[in-house]
């Protein structure tokens, strides 16, 4: 227990150190990426505008395509939600000012407000969500690199098949930057959940199942990961670090594994 | 008879004995409803204190206030208490208290069942609180995911406390659900057709109906997990053919409707209170009825949206995502119905309206984040983070607490005869409202910054420090606000200004009752011709008190109320209700012994407790009925109607229909689990299949057929007043059913694999057990009718008991055949003699 706890603190402090490095390295590149993709610019604008939203585990400071497209979805939904809130709560507040009874159009309220208004907005949101989900899940994509993430109370084992046999690391997940990697997630005991907030959504690690998630870090760096599904007394300390290597470093790593 | 004499006569019939005897035997719905509400409020306070401890721990990073062992118990108990011990029981209490008054009835359909539910709730709560005091509280999260909650990873008694304690309390919830459903459908004032019911009754009807089918999946899941923990039958163990996700499916099959079960009664209060506050009758009554029916139905098709990250194929996720988004539509219809009513009226910002405003603000935000969460990709990011914690508190506090507070302040003059202090109440509202939003608005951001749920601490430097501190400070403001509300209510009860009988000038019947509320509610029952029967001032109340309505008389000291045809509200029968009784508390105590025996592992004691429960159930049923034909009775206002034992569709018959609906949902969930494991779990097909015996199955079939025919003969003979032949028929049916049960056991013994080796064996044995238990119950019922025939309680006019038993028997026979097929068909090749 105490050993696990110490490991957790270590990881978190890694994250703390990493944060400063991260901002220096990733800032300009993120900006460049934002110029390429208009929606991404919005997300970056959001991140910059909110300032405090950058954080080592912040979904609002995306560093990979999945997390970035989700942050755009999130922004769009937020705008739609804010508009709906203003309309409905505005109608509520305006109604409070009425001082005498008068007839209202039942059709306008119930058909227009009750049916048409939500159906239009919900259809837009749902179609957007489903199409985006289909893209993120990448059912037909078969990345060249597949890594097994095995959760066990309360740490992670990441196993990669290299040229010279398999390499397993505890709580450190090495990936090449700029490439899509498949993570096959499983568990040795209870249900955990694999989550690197800045790169992608989460996927549960369930004993007896092999779930898969595609993940990509655009730029080299260290990205914090956590266990998101409650798994017992060590749940809070079940963090890990994803290290995205630049091509040379990755090649070195592969060679090292071969040797 | 003068109004006073009538009052005294009815008070003698409906009142309760003085002292402890009165407390323990009381079945009055007003008293029980109040007890439920008060006890639930106590649990709310306890759950609130736990929440404060959680916020204290999370206010700063690396806080050393509590460790993970205690913290896990804190949040598990906070969630479990708020869901199972506060929200559901509070609404049950309010519905129990209000419904008969709104419907113009004297009590609920099954008063002893209300009392039984109350005692189960109280005793079940003792189990949970006792465990908490001993430091053995559940610690696996309020949704108890397997395998974390399995024996391997939670070896202690903590998980058993949850499974058994909560199941015990759920019995109370299912009882209340059946009670409320039948009461709304059958026990109304004559003339009150479905479309003339107060809108609140519609909400309760839909909610109760949802509970009838919503709770069985959870009861099944708890049963299976407890069996796995106690005896090692591997339903959820992937090593032995089980699957951890089976728990999640069953849990959320209950858990999602549960959210609407909590929201709908609260929305019902909004639909009731808002029109009074804005001085205009509800616009879009029919639309709202339609939308809550749609909501109730569709809420059962969304449960997977709690499982978007479990690796289910994306096509299925897309379906559940669309369904989850669409379910917002009926809620928006209600919202616009309320807005239209406001726009048509003249809103008054009285305190209940202020709470409705708080509801609009908070619930709207919660609903909007709910739609966001229904979008699969966003869900992948924010699932299991503080964002979800924030969302669910917006939905539950906004969608339940605020309307309930509106309801409490609205009905305070009805409950206590007094009014609250105008300023203190408002201060309480604003503190709660502000504290709530400070706590939970920023929590959305905490989640987006990556903070997972259920972590007992966090490291500094992740950007989570200040939002957590803000949340903690807000939560203390909210707690102070609730304290102000409690003080305000306490002062109102003790020293409040006396209220007039109908202070809000509302139009529903509960305001026609005298103050304080008499045990019999109304001295005579009204004839209802509009949705707003009280429009004509105090005249109605006066004429009812004078006995000018239905049943304004003392007939041999019987507790009488009117039973109506469900749809039209036409008077069909005079329902004779049972009086105060020791049976509810005794039966609840015996049921409690059963659960306690399982909890502490005294497995020999559990069947003994069940035998006691069965004996008490026999007495319970034997205390009803009549041994003479009475024919149509004078019901007052020139109307006549038979007593309910002589009517076609008595409440008891409908009670059985809904009980069997719950029972069938349990069986269907079990078959769903079977199919789920067979298709999804690793390790299937099982290494050892059943080798069913033709001989045993043949005997089951023959015995089932014999029981069916013998009961048919028995009921026909009862109808023809041929008592001896009828008794012989029922005797034969009971014997045949006994043979069927034995043959079913033999079928299992001869051909089924051991239950502990593989989930397949475990499931088929549970299926078999279902058949055996139901066969035994139906056998007891057949014996009961045979006994009642001899005692003269059945006649061609009084066929209620044989008809109820037919319902149970036929269900049982069908279930036995279904069980046989479910076990025998998949292994069709391996049958043998
Ligand atoms: Cu974990």
């Amino acid at each position: 227990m105490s050993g696990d706890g110490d490991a957790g603190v270590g990881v978190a402090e890694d994250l703390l150190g990493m944060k400063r490095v991260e901002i220096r390295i990733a800032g300009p590149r993120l900006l460049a990426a934002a110029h390429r993709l208009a929606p991404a610019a919005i997300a970056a604008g959001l991140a910059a505008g909110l300032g405090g939203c950058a954080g080592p585990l912040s979904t609002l400071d995306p560093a990979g395509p999945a997390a970035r497209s989700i942050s755009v979805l999130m922004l769009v939904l937020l705008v739609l939600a804010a508009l709906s809130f203003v309309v409905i709560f505005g109608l509520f507040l305006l109604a409070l000012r009425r001082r005498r009874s008068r007839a209202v159009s039942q059709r306008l309220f119930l058909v227009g407000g009750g049916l048409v208004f939500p159906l239009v907005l919900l259809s837009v949101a749902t179609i957007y969500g489903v199409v985006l989900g289909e893209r993120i899940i990448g059912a037909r994509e078969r990345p060249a690199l597949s890594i097994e993430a095995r959760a066990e109370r309360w740490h992670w084992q990441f196993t990669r098949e290299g040229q010279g046999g398999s390499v397993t690391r505890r709580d450190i997940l090495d990936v090449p930057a700029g490439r899509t990697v498949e993570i096959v997630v499983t568990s040795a005991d209870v249900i955990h959940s694999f989550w690197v907030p800045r790169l992608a959504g989460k996927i549960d690690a369930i004993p007896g199942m092999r779930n898969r998630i595609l993940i990509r870090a655009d730029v080299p760096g260290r990205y914090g990961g956590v266990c998101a599904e409650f798994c017992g007394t060590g749940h809070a300390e079940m963090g890990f670090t994803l290290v995205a290597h630049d091509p040379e470093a990755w090649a070195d790593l592969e060679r090292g594994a071969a040797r | 008879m003068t109004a006073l004499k009538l009052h005294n006569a009815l008070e003698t019939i409906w009142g309760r004995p003085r002292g402890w005897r009165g407390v323990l035997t009381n079945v009055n719905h007003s008293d029980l409803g109040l007890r439920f509400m008060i006890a639930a409020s106590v649990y709310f306070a306890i759950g609130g204190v736990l929440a404060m401890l959680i916020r204290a721990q999370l206010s700063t990073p690396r806080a050393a206030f509590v460790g993970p062992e205690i913290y896990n118990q804190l949040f598990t108990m906070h969630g479990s208490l708020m869901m199972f011990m506060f929200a559901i029981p509070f609404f049950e209490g309010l519905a129990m208290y209000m419904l008969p008054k709104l419907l113009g009835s004297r009590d609920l359909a099954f008063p002893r069942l209300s009392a039984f539910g109350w005692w189960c709730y109280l005793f079940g709560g003792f189990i949970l609180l006792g465990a908490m005091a001993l430091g053995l509280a559940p610690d696996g999260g309020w949704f108890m995911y397997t395998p974390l909650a399995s024996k391997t990873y939670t070896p202690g008694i903590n998980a058993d406390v949850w499974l058994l304690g909560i199941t015990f309390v759920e019995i109370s919830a299912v009882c209340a659900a059946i009670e409320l459903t039948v009461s709304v459908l059958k026990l109304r004032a004559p003339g009150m057709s479905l479309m003339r019911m107060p809108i609140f009754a519609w909400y309760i009807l839909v909610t109760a109906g949802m509970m009838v089918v919503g709770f069985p999946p959870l009861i099944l899941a708890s049963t299976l997990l407890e069996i796995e923990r106690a005896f090692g039958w591997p339903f959820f163990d992937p090593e032995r053919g089980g699957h951890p996700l089976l728990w999640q499916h069953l849990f959320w099959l209950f858990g999602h409707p549960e959210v609407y079960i909590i929201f709908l009664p609260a929305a019902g209060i909004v639909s009731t209170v808002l029109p009074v506050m804005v001085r205009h009758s509800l616009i879009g009554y029919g639309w709202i009825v339609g939308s809550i029916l749609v909501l109730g139905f569709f809420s059962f098709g969304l449960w997977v949206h709690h499982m978007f990250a479990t690796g289910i194929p994306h096509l299925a996720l897309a379906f559940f995502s669309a369904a989850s988004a669409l379910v917002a539509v009926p809620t928006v219809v209600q919202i616009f119905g309320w807005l239209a009513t406001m726009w048509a009226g003249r809103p008054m910002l009285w305190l209940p309206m202020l709470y409705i405003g708080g509801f609009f603000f908070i619930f709207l935000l919660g609903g909007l984040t709910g739609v966001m969460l229904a979008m699969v990709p966003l869900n992948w990011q924010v699932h299991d983070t503080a964002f979800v914690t924030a969302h669910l508190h917006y939905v539950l506090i906004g969608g339940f607490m605020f309307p309930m507070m509106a309801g409490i302040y609205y009905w305070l003059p009805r409950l206590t005869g007094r009014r609250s202090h105008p300023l203190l109440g408002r201060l309480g509202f604003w503190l709660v409202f502000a504290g709530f939003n400070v706590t939970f608005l920023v929590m959305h951001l905490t989640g987006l910054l990556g903070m997972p749920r259920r972590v007992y601490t966090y490291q500094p430097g992740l950007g989570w420090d200040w939002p957590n501190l803000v949340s903690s400070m807000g939560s203390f403001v909210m707690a102070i606000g609730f304290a102000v509300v409690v003080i305000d209510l306490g002062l109102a009860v003790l020293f409040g200004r006396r209220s007039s009988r109908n202070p809000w000038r509302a139009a529903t019947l509960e305001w026609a009752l005298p103050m304080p509320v008499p045990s019999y509610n109304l001295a005579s029952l009204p004839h209802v011709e509009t949705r707003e029967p009280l429009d004509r001032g105090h005249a109605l109340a006066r004429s009812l008190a004078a006995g000018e309505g239905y049943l304004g008389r003392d007939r041999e000291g019987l507790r009488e109320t009117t039973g109506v045809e469900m749809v039209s509200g036409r008077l069909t029968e005079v329902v004779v209700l049972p009086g105060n009784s020791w049976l509810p508390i005794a039966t609840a105590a015996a049921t409690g012994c059963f659960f306690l025996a399982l909890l502490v592992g005294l497995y020999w004691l559990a069947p003994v407790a069940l035998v006691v429960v069965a004996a008490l159930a026999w007495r319970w049923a034997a205390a009803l009925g009549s041994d003479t034909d009475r024919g149509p009775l004078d019901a007052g206002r020139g109307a006549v109607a038979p007593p309910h034992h002589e009517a076609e569709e008595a409440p008891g018959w409908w009670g059985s229909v809904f009980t069997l609906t719950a029972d069938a949902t349990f069986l269907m969930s079990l078959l769903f689990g079977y199919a789920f494991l067979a298709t999804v779990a690793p390790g299937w097909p099982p290494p050892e299949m059943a080798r069913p015996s033709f001989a045993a199955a043949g005997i089951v079939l023959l015995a089932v057929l014999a029981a069916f025919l013998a009961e048919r003969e028995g009921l026909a003979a009862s109808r023809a007043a041929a008592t001896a032949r009828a008794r012989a028929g029922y005797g034969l049916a009971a014997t045949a059913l006994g043979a069927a049960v034995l043959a079913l056991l033999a079928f299992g013994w001869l051909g089924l694999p051991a239950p502990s080796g593989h989930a397949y064996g475990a499931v088929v044995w549970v299926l078999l057990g279902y058949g055996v238990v139901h066969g035994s119950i139906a056998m007891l019922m057949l014996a009961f009718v045979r006994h009642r025939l001899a005692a003269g309680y059945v006649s061609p006019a009084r066929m209620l008991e044989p008809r109820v038993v037919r319902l149970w028997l036929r269900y049982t026979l069908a279930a036995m055949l279904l069980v046989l097929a479910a076990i025998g068909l998949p292994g069709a090749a391996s049958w043998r003699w």
Side-chain angles (χ1 to χ4, degrees):
Chain A
M1 174 62 241
S2 77
D4 282 324
D6 291 343
V9 172
V11 170
E13 275 165 0
D14 261 350
L15 295 175
L16 191 57
M18 160 211 104
K19 188 183 167 193
R20 270 169 272 139
V21 182
E22 189 56 30
I23 288 164
R24 245 188 300 129
I25 300 175
R29 297 209 195 181
L30 248 185
L31 228 58
H35 277 292
R36 280 200 304 276
L37 291 157
I42 303 174
L46 175 76
L50 292 177
C53 295
L57 294 171
S58 175
T59 63
L60 302 174
D61 185 12
R68 187 170 302 115
S69 58
I70 295 175
S71 73
V72 174
L73 169 68
M74 140 90 200
L75 184 73
V76 172
L77 290 176
L78 204 63
V79 170
L80 291 181
L83 285 177
S84 312
F85 182 82
V86 167
V87 168
I88 295 177
F89 200 69
L91 283 172
F92 180 88
L93 289 178
L94 284 177
L96 288 181
R97 295 160 52 105
R98 296 179 80 88
R99 280 290 154 261
R100 60 195 168 81
S101 301
R102 69 186 91 173
V104 298
S105 159
Q106 191 170 332
R107 215 161 93 201
L108 179 67
F109 272 90
L110 292 170
V111 181
L115 291 181
V116 179
F117 167 63
L119 276 174
V120 170
L121 290 186
L122 291 170
S123 307
V124 171
T126 307
I127 292 168
Y128 184 2
V130 168
V131 171
L132 178 61
E134 197 58 38
R135 215 177 70 206
I136 290 177
I137 205 131
R140 277 179 295 276
E141 268 182 78
R142 290 274 167 271
L145 181 60
S146 175
I147 299 176
E148 178 173 303
R150 182 179 163 88
E152 188 171 353
R153 301 209 297 176
W154 286 280
H155 61 91
W156 296 87
Q157 304 268 22
F158 299 104
T159 306
R160 162 168 58 89
E161 296 300 328
Q163 293 137 349
S166 68
V167 184
T168 299
R169 291 192 77 182
R170 185 182 161 120
D171 289 340
I172 305 278
L173 170 55
D174 293 304
V175 296
R179 272 171 61 186
T180 302
V181 182
E182 176 189 68
I183 313 285
V184 176
V185 182
T186 183
S187 165
D189 40 42
V190 305
I191 299 178
H192 305 267
S193 194
F194 173 92
W195 190 32
V196 185
R198 295 190 57 204
L199 299 185
K202 52 186 79 65
I203 186 83
D204 288 351
I206 301 174
M209 285 179 78
R210 293 174 66 78
N211 282 333
R212 145 194 144 119
I213 187 169
L214 298 183
I215 207 163
R216 192 174 104 161
D218 286 334
V219 293
R222 297 166 73 83
Y223 302 91
V226 293
C227 169
E229 181 65 59
F230 177 63
C231 55
T233 47
H235 170 54
E237 283 122 8
M238 203 171 148
F240 60 92
T241 305
L242 181 145
V243 184
H245 300 270
D246 60 35
E248 302 86 76
W250 180 253
D252 283 349
L253 209 67
E254 293 268 78
R255 267 197 301 281
R259 216 184 302 135
Chain B
M1 215 187 289
T2 68
L4 186 64
K5 268 168 102 177
L6 181 58
H7 166 78
N8 287 336
L10 288 171
E11 196 61 51
T12 321
I13 299 173
W14 292 83
R16 60 167 193 265
R18 286 178 181 284
W20 278 105
R21 204 173 139 234
V23 173
L24 300 179
T25 62
N26 192 358
V27 296
N28 178 274
H29 75 97
S30 296
D31 294 340
L32 291 169
L34 268 181
R35 282 190 207 171
F36 262 108
M37 283 191 270
I38 292 169
S41 305
V42 170
Y43 281 107
F44 176 72
I46 298 173
V49 170
L50 298 180
M52 291 299 100
L53 298 177
I54 292 172
R55 281 318 321 170
Q57 166 69 14
L58 291 182
S59 59
T60 54
R62 285 191 198 156
F65 177 57
V66 292
E69 292 82 6
I70 299 294
Y71 185 83
N72 295 348
Q73 294 188 22
L74 288 179
F75 75 72
T76 303
M77 285 303 281
H78 168 71
S80 304
L81 289 184
M82 289 303 197
M83 284 291 190
F84 298 103
M85 302 303 290
F86 164 62
I88 298 280
F90 191 90
F91 119 71
E92 284 166 15
L94 186 73
M96 274 183 185
Y97 186 94
M98 280 300 162
L99 258 189
K101 299 179 179 66
L102 281 161
L103 298 174
S105 164
R106 282 181 175 147
D107 207 320
L108 295 165
F110 313 114
R112 296 178 304 172
L113 196 64
S114 325
F116 173 69
W118 156 253
W119 295 113
C120 284
Y121 168 58
L122 191 73
F123 297 159
F126 288 161
I127 294 182
L128 290 174
L129 289 186
M132 199 159 74
L134 295 173
L136 296 172
D139 57 1
W142 80 272
F143 33 80
M144 293 287 289
Y145 276 3
T146 54
L148 180 60
S150 300
K151 195 83 179 170
T152 324
Y153 304 104
T154 307
I157 201 176
N158 311 54
D160 305 302
V161 168
W162 194 95
L163 294 168
L164 295 167
I166 296 291
T167 303
F168 193 14
V169 173
E170 276 153 21
I171 291 179
S172 147
V174 173
C175 290
I178 292 163
E179 167 96 288
L180 295 172
T181 312
V182 177
S183 300
V184 174
L185 290 176
K186 288 296 294 179
L187 262 63
R188 307 197 296 262
M192 188 186 278
S193 65
L194 279 183
M195 291 313 271
R196 283 180 195 160
M197 288 201 305
I199 190 78
F200 188 68
W202 270 110
Y203 280 93
I204 297 299
L205 177 64
V206 174
T207 309
M210 287 173 69
M211 285 168 74
V212 167
V213 285
F215 276 76
L218 179 60
I219 296 180
L220 171 72
S222 303
T223 310
L224 296 185
L225 182 52
E226 188 52 36
I227 292 176
E228 177 178 302
R229 290 179 54 87
F231 308 114
W233 298 18
F235 302 100
F236 308 102
D237 177 4
E239 308 275 301
R240 292 184 286 159
H243 202 297
L245 286 189
L246 173 60
W247 172 270
Q248 295 194 20
H249 279 292
L250 291 175
F251 185 88
W252 291 117
L253 201 49
F254 145 83
H256 195 76
E258 158 91 349
V259 175
Y260 292 93
I261 289 169
I262 289 175
F263 166 63
L264 276 179
I269 290 180
V270 175
S271 284
T272 305
V273 176
L274 182 136
V276 179
M277 296 292 124
V278 307
R279 325 307 295 162
H280 195 284
S281 56
L282 183 65
I283 288 184
Y285 176 96
W287 279 77
I288 288 183
V289 168
S291 72
I292 56 182
L293 286 170
V294 169
L295 190 65
F297 186 75
F298 281 106
S299 68
F300 285 90
L302 324 170
W303 79 94
V304 171
H305 77 210
H306 297 266
M307 302 166 65
F308 279 169
T310 55
I312 292 170
H314 187 248
L315 188 66
L317 298 189
F319 169 81
F320 282 102
S321 166
S324 309
L326 275 179
V327 81
V329 174
T331 308
V332 181
V333 169
Q334 289 178 72
I335 290 178
F336 274 88
W338 296 327
L339 286 174
T341 311
M342 287 181 70
W343 276 75
R346 288 174 294 123
M348 301 290 177
L349 258 184
W350 294 321
L351 189 50
M353 190 61 193
L354 209 52
Y355 273 102
I356 287 178
F359 153 78
F360 258 87
F361 185 91
I362 295 174
F363 180 73
L364 203 50
L365 288 175
L368 290 166
T369 52
V371 170
M372 293 168 77
L373 277 167
M375 301 303 131
V376 178
L378 185 67
N379 189 292
W380 285 331
Q381 269 294 28
V382 295
H383 175 67
D384 268 334
T385 68
F387 186 93
V388 171
T389 316
H391 155 75
L392 75 92
H393 283 88
Y394 264 82
V395 169
L396 292 175
I397 296 187
F400 185 79
M401 268 316 287
F402 276 76
M404 283 293 155
M405 294 302 304
I408 289 172
Y409 276 109
Y410 173 71
W411 279 308
L412 193 65
R414 176 72 278 158
L415 288 157
T416 64
R418 301 184 185 257
R419 318 201 62 169
S420 72
H421 189 277
L423 286 181
L424 208 52
R426 279 168 195 267
L427 176 68
F429 166 81
W430 284 110
L431 283 173
V432 171
F433 182 77
F436 173 85
N437 283 296
V438 170
T439 307
F440 291 104
L441 197 59
V442 71
M443 202 179 279
H444 292 102
L445 179 67
T446 324
L448 292 174
L449 292 177
M451 181 165 171
R453 282 170 98 167
R454 301 175 167 182
V455 289
Y456 80 99
T457 194
Y458 53 93
Q459 305 304 326
L462 300 170
W464 306 345
D465 306 15
W466 71 266
N468 271 301
L469 187 61
V470 170
S471 285
S472 293
M473 292 192 303
S475 74
F476 282 90
V477 175
M478 182 164 49
I480 294 168
F482 277 119
V484 172
V485 170
V486 169
I487 293 170
D488 181 41
L489 292 175
L491 289 177
V493 171
L494 294 175
F495 311 112
R497 221 158 24 88
R498 292 222 172 262
S499 161
S500 59
R501 187 184 279 201
N502 187 359
W504 311 108
R505 289 188 290 124
T508 38
L509 283 173
E510 80 274 28
W511 300 104
L513 271 65
M515 179 58 61
V517 177
S519 56
Y520 53 83
N521 280 348
L522 289 163
S524 63
L525 306 179
H527 187 84
V528 173
E529 271 158 2
T530 88
R531 216 174 274 157
E532 303 188 330
L534 225 57
D535 258 353
R536 276 163 259 120
H538 290 299
L540 178 68
R542 255 182 246 118
S543 94
L544 293 180
E548 288 161 17
Y550 294 100
L551 299 176
R553 57 182 293 174
D554 165 8
R555 195 191 330 260
E556 301 161 35
L558 291 176
R559 297 190 172 196
E560 293 180 333
T561 191
T562 51
V564 299
E565 200 270 326
M566 288 198 305
V567 178
S568 68
R570 184 172 49 81
L571 175 69
T572 53
E573 68 235 44
V574 173
V575 177
V576 181
L577 296 173
N580 298 328
S581 162
W582 287 99
L583 284 168
I585 187 170
T587 313
T591 315
C593 283
F594 170 74
F595 283 106
L596 265 183
L598 294 181
L599 185 60
V600 299
L602 288 176
Y603 293 115
W604 61 269
L605 186 62
V608 177
L610 281 187
V611 169
V612 176
V613 170
L616 288 167
W618 181 292
R619 294 217 28 204
W620 187 297
L624 296 172
S626 161
D627 56 2
T628 41
D629 289 345
R630 306 169 60 104
L633 305 170
D634 171 15
R637 287 182 52 114
V640 290
H644 75 270
H645 345 88
E646 298 173 24
E648 264 304 297
E649 292 188 344
W653 195 81
W654 281 104
S656 288
V657 168
F658 290 112
T659 311
L660 289 173
T661 308
D663 205 352
T665 316
F666 185 90
L667 180 58
M668 288 306 134
S669 309
L670 181 57
L671 291 172
F672 162 80
Y674 184 19
F676 174 80
L677 289 179
T679 45
V680 175
W684 285 66
E688 187 191 354
M689 286 295 288
R691 301 192 56 223
S693 146
F694 272 121
I699 297 174
V700 175
L701 285 180
L702 283 178
V704 161
L705 187 65
F708 177 82
L709 293 175
E711 186 272 344
R712 210 170 68 158
E713 172 61 17
L715 189 129
S718 317
R719 195 158 261 157
T723 308
R725 223 173 74 219
R727 293 195 68 207
Y730 279 100
L732 184 60
T735 315
L737 203 54
V741 166
L742 290 178
L744 204 57
L745 278 172
F747 177 80
W749 219 260
L750 293 173
L752 298 193
S756 52
H758 189 278
Y760 168 73
V763 170
V764 290
W765 273 103
V766 170
L767 277 167
L768 197 83
Y770 184 92
V772 168
V773 167
H774 282 73
S776 311
I777 294 173
M779 207 166 81
L780 208 61
M781 289 181 154
L782 292 167
F784 179 76
V785 175
R786 187 168 172 275
H787 170 78
R788 296 289 271 185
L789 278 158
Y793 279 86
V794 178
S795 78
R798 284 170 280 120
M799 289 298 289
L800 178 58
E801 289 169 15
R803 288 178 60 239
V804 166
V805 170
R806 159 165 293 182
L807 211 54
W808 282 83
L809 177 79
R810 293 202 169 165
Y811 173 79
T812 301
L813 298 180
M816 282 174 132
L817 296 181
L818 196 59
V819 162
L820 216 55
I823 298 174
L825 290 184
S830 54
W831 280 74
R832 62 181 169 130
W833 287 101

